Amino acid sequence: MGAYVGRDVLVEFSIAPESAVRAGLTYQTLGMMRGKELKASWDTVDTTGDKSAGATRSALATFKNVEFSGDCVSYDNAVHNQLTLEAHFINANLNTATQKQPKVWLRITYPNKVYEGPFILTECSNSNGYDAESTLSIAAKSNGDVTLTPP
């Protein structure tokens, strides 16, 4: 397929706890997205000792972290599902289905791969410049096993 642009990346969410069955999820598209960033990292522990080869530090990976952030131009059309996600974030304490937490599953589909897994929403912000577009931004951290698979 070759190169692709960011608008070819689809972001979807399902309001569900990390214990949900992946096959049973119903996803909604988060519409009017612009910036989309996915970052993965591993925590490590230092396994260096007095007999480490060449007096060089060594480490083991312990836990994977996946973070997502994105922003979209604010639209009030229900088809873009922005208010649904924002309301879940703000009113998470009312949602017993997600243990009163801002939990979601994210599926981020690129032309050549799909990331999918449970996340916890950590930030939600609205930016409204006097003479600029209004935007909604979100951030989330993995809250269980996030997988990467071919489409």
Side-chain angles (χ1 to χ4, degrees):
M1 173 175 238
Y4 55 90
V5 295
R7 70 174 171 257
D8 293 337
V9 178
L10 175 66
V11 177
E12 300 169 288
F13 68 93
S14 180
I15 297 173
E18 65 278 6
S19 59
V21 176
R22 189 179 303 248
L25 295 172
T26 301
Y27 282 96
Q28 300 177 69
T29 300
L30 184 56
M32 300 310 295
M33 296 286 306
R34 293 200 305 187
K36 306 160 198 165
E37 183 174 340
L38 189 88
K39 179 175 90 172
S41 62
W42 282 90
D43 292 339
T44 59
V45 294
D46 186 352
T47 58
T48 309
D50 59 0
K51 300 287 184 187
S52 291
T56 303
R57 290 206 178 272
S58 59
L60 289 175
T62 57
F63 296 101
K64 177 177 61 177
N65 301 297
V66 181
E67 297 180 25
F68 173 80
S69 61
D71 67 290
C72 42
V73 177
S74 297
Y75 271 76
D76 58 5
N77 306 59
V79 69
H80 300 304
N81 301 303
Q82 294 174 359
L83 185 56
T84 300
L85 187 61
E86 184 178 9
H88 173 58
F89 178 82
I90 296 298
N91 301 317
N93 60 313
L94 303 176
N95 191 340
T96 56
T98 58
Q99 295 92 33
K100 300 184 178 185
Q101 297 288 314
K103 296 177 178 181
V104 296
W105 278 67
L106 293 178
R107 182 168 61 194
I108 303 155
T109 305
Y110 295 76
N112 62 346
K113 61 190 172 201
V114 177
Y115 280 90
E116 184 180 26
F119 285 78
I120 190 157
L121 298 172
T122 57
E123 294 181 33
C124 180
S125 63
N126 290 276
S127 178
N128 307 288
Y130 173 74
D131 59 350
E133 69 280 6
S134 292
T135 61
L136 172 68
S137 299
I138 62 162
K141 292 184 178 183
S142 55
N143 194 33
D145 188 23
V146 176
T147 61
L148 169 63
T149 56

